[in-house]
Amino acid sequence: MDWKTLIGFSEPSKEYGLENREEGTGEGCSNPEMDYVKLSVKIDLKQKSQVGRAALLLALTTDAEEEQNVKKQIVATGWRAVATEVGGLAGELPQKITRALVGAALNAGVVEKKCNEMHALMHAAVEALNGFISMSMLEASIGAKIGIVRNDQWIAVAVLGDTAYHAVAHHERCGLGVMHL
């Protein structure tokens, strides 16, 4: 089985100008600067401990409609979910992320102001941030989306975004933290 079948990849349609594209190249695009690929992914979560996968999917969303669709599916399982975004220099991010993360989680009802829930949220966030960025990147510019998902036993924080010392040298990074409630 190839990867396209495994993740439910559908061929880009003509409306995106990729109808003549050769696999593995940018040739045939009507606009080589605007390469567009749409992936549809189906994931079966069979255990409550897989809450991290749901948080990653939420952090991966690239527009409001996608984000709402993923949140709606997560909430339909009885789990709770929220997403937020942060940006700035890496050295400023701990404070910004803490405010954004706690504010979003409390406002959306993902966590309550209880010691165990706040501790689990912050522990998962620290774990995710340690995977997302190293402290040696204090002057790097960062833009990140944070997905927070929880069920009755677990909470997960996923951080996905771009980092760069210079605008032309940016690349994606990802971090995930999961903590038992």
Side-chain angles (χ1 to χ4, degrees):
M1 178 177 283
D2 69 351
W3 70 270
K4 288 180 182 180
T5 306
L6 185 65
I7 66 168
F9 180 82
S10 59
E11 293 295 325
S13 66
K14 293 181 181 182
E15 70 186 87
Y16 299 117
L18 298 175
E19 64 274 7
N20 297 320
R21 182 178 170 164
E22 294 177 29
E23 190 169 333
T25 71
E27 297 172 9
C29 288
S30 60
N31 180 358
E33 297 294 318
M34 194 62 162
D35 216 7
Y36 187 96
V37 176
K38 183 175 184 176
L39 300 174
S40 296
V41 178
K42 179 183 179 225
I43 297 200
D44 292 325
L45 302 176
K46 299 180 190 271
Q47 298 174 355
K48 287 185 178 185
S49 63
Q50 292 178 315
V51 69
R53 294 171 192 246
L56 278 169
L57 284 173
L58 187 54
L60 284 167
T61 60
T62 56
D63 63 43
E65 184 180 340
E66 247 179 28
E67 181 183 309
Q68 288 303 320
N69 184 33
V70 171
K71 278 197 282 192
K72 190 170 150 183
Q73 291 178 63
I74 292 168
V75 169
T77 68
W79 294 3
R80 296 181 238 170
V82 69
T84 188
E85 296 179 2
V86 294
L89 294 178
E92 304 166 349
L93 278 175
Q95 298 84 9
K96 284 185 172 185
I97 287 176
T98 299
R99 285 191 301 270
L101 182 86
V102 171
L106 286 171
N107 291 337
V110 173
V111 295
E112 294 177 22
K113 275 190 182 179
K114 293 181 178 177
C115 182
N116 65 319
E117 292 190 14
M118 297 303 290
H119 175 79
L121 173 65
M122 294 313 298
H123 200 293
V126 167
E127 191 176 315
L129 289 171
N130 284 339
F132 178 69
I133 190 161
S134 71
M135 290 314 295
S136 64
M137 296 187 71
L138 292 177
E139 292 300 315
S141 178
I142 295 177
K145 184 160 190 178
I146 302 171
I148 307 165
V149 177
R150 65 95 41 109
N151 56 36
D152 61 342
Q153 295 177 355
W154 298 93
I155 189 162
V157 175
V159 183
L160 180 98
D162 289 317
T163 63
Y165 285 109
H166 189 277
V168 298
H170 74 90
H171 63 283
E172 290 182 308
R173 293 179 173 273
C174 181
L176 174 67
V178 180
M179 182 69 181
H180 196 275
L181 292 163

